[in-house]
Amino acid sequence: MILIKLGGSIITNKEKPLSPRIKTIDNIAKQLKKISEPFVIVHGGGSFGHYWSVKYDMHTKPARYDSHGVAIVKNSMIELNKIILDSLTKNKLNPYCLPPTDFMSGNKPIPSKVREIRKIAESNLIPVTFGDALWYGQKKSYILSGDKIMSILAKALRPRLSIFILNVDGLYSDLNTKRLIYDMKDDQVSIQDIPMDVTGGMTRKVEEATKISKMGLKVFFANGNKPERITNAIQKNRFEGTIFRG
Ligand code: IP8
C-alpha cells in the first residue's frame, strides 16, 4: 500500500486563483497508471481551497467561521477534485472519490471507515480524498489539510511508502542555494532548521512527514514536474528527492 499526496502547489498555479495545472496533473496520472500495487491519493487545495479559505479567514482551528465561506471553500474543493478525477479516468485509472466526510466525524477519524479505504484500494479502485472545510460541531467548522489526512491514513493503513508530491525537488536546507536535503536522518535536520516558504505550507508538510516517519514508516518528498521520480521510488527504490526513514 502506497499513500500519495498531490500538493496544491503542483496541481494548481498558486499565483493565480482557480487555475489547475491540467498538463502536470495528466503527466502525473500517466505515471500513476504504471503502479501495480494498491495506492490511495490525497490532494491539497492550492489556488482553489486555499484561495477561498484566505478570503473567508478560515483556518485549521475549529471556530464559528462564515457559513458562506464554508460553502464556497467546499464547492471549490469539489471542483478541483473533479478535475483530478477526470484526469485519472481519462488515463484509464479507476478513482473512487472519498470526501473526508466519508471517514471523519468532527476532527476524529472513523476507524471502520478508514479501514475500508484499504479494501477499496485492494479492489482495483483508487481511493481519492482531499483537504476540505469540515463541520466540527456546535456551529463550528475547520479546515482539514490534506497533509493531516496523510498522517491519519498512515497511522491506520501503515503504507510501505508515503509520497508527498511537490513543485520543487524536495526539502532545501537553504532556499537561496537550493541545497537539497537527501535524507532527513543523515542530514540531522530538525523542523526548526527548515526555511519557511511563503505560505508556511512546507512546515506543515515536514511536521506531518516527521510524524509519519516516527510511526516507523518511510516518507518521500518528490518533484511532480519530474513524475517518473514517483514510479522510480515505488518500483525501483530509487529516491531522487528527500527521504524520511521510518
Ligand atoms: O492544501 C487544504 O488542504 P492542503 C484544503 O492539503 C483547503 O493544506 C480547503 C484549503
Side-chain angles (χ1 to χ4, degrees):
M1 156 85 55
I2 313 271
L3 275 186
I4 300 174
K5 161 90 199 281
L6 303 177
S9 61
I10 187 74
I11 57 175
T12 70
N13 177 358
K14 280 192 116 173
E15 311 299 314
K16 197 169 161 241
L18 311 174
S19 49
R21 294 174 71 194
I22 304 277
K23 189 85 200 92
T24 309
I25 299 169
D26 280 346
N27 288 340
I28 293 173
K30 284 191 182 77
Q31 285 296 320
L32 299 183
K33 177 76 187 144
K34 298 181 185 171
I35 304 173
S36 52
E37 64 185 283
F39 65 99
V40 175
I41 296 176
V42 179
H43 70 79
S47 71
F48 283 74
H50 280 286
Y51 170 72
W52 290 116
S53 50
V54 168
K55 279 233 181 272
Y56 284 93
D57 199 23
M58 295 179 64
H59 306 276
T60 52
K61 187 179 173 316
R64 294 188 175 191
Y65 297 113
D66 183 338
S67 306
H68 195 61
V70 176
I72 296 280
V73 170
K74 253 192 180 311
N75 272 5
S76 75
M77 286 311 299
I78 294 290
E79 203 181 322
L80 179 57
N81 181 242
K82 181 68 165 60
I83 293 167
I84 304 287
L85 298 176
D86 284 346
S87 171
L88 294 171
T89 44
K90 195 171 71 191
N91 285 288
K92 309 258 178 326
L93 287 150
N94 305 324
Y96 184 85
C97 172
L98 273 177
T101 44
D102 278 21
F103 57 88
M104 295 292 294
S105 171
N107 64 347
K108 300 267 180 300
I110 306 165
S112 63
K113 284 295 196 178
V114 176
R115 279 196 300 272
E116 206 171 79
I117 296 176
R118 177 193 300 285
K119 301 273 176 232
I120 297 169
E122 286 172 351
S123 70
N124 200 30
L125 287 165
I126 303 162
V128 178
T129 188
F130 48 87
D132 202 358
L134 290 197
W135 167 251
Y136 178 76
Q138 294 166 333
K139 296 190 179 167
K140 293 181 181 175
S141 55
Y142 72 106
I143 300 285
L144 174 65
S145 82
D147 297 328
K148 180 93 200 156
I149 297 179
M150 286 293 278
S151 53
I152 290 171
L153 297 185
K155 190 172 174 200
L157 305 176
R158 298 201 58 83
R160 79 166 176 90
L161 181 62
S162 301
I163 308 179
F164 287 77
I165 303 180
L166 319 170
N167 191 29
V168 289
D169 280 339
L171 260 186
Y172 299 127
S173 61
D174 184 323
L175 279 182
N176 296 320
T177 61
K178 299 226 156 126
R179 193 182 80 82
L180 189 68
I181 300 166
Y182 291 99
D183 191 318
M184 279 294 274
K185 252 195 190 146
D186 292 352
D187 282 65
Q188 298 281 315
V189 187
S190 66
I191 294 175
Q192 289 77 17
D193 301 328
I194 302 298
M196 279 277 274
D197 59 355
V198 262
T199 60
M202 192 59 108
T203 318
R204 191 174 48 225
K205 263 179 236 312
V206 175
E207 270 168 17
E208 298 303 331
T210 306
K211 214 189 277 175
I212 297 172
S213 72
K214 283 190 176 150
M215 297 170 195
L217 301 166
K218 196 188 273 183
V219 183
F220 177 52
F221 283 11
N223 191 341
N225 298 302
K226 317 247 169 71
E228 67 285 355
R229 291 183 182 176
I230 305 164
T231 33
N232 282 346
I234 295 171
Q235 293 167 333
K236 299 181 185 155
N237 242 348
R238 207 166 83 207
F239 297 98
E240 297 158 272
T242 302
I243 191 154
F244 297 63
R245 289 176 201 284

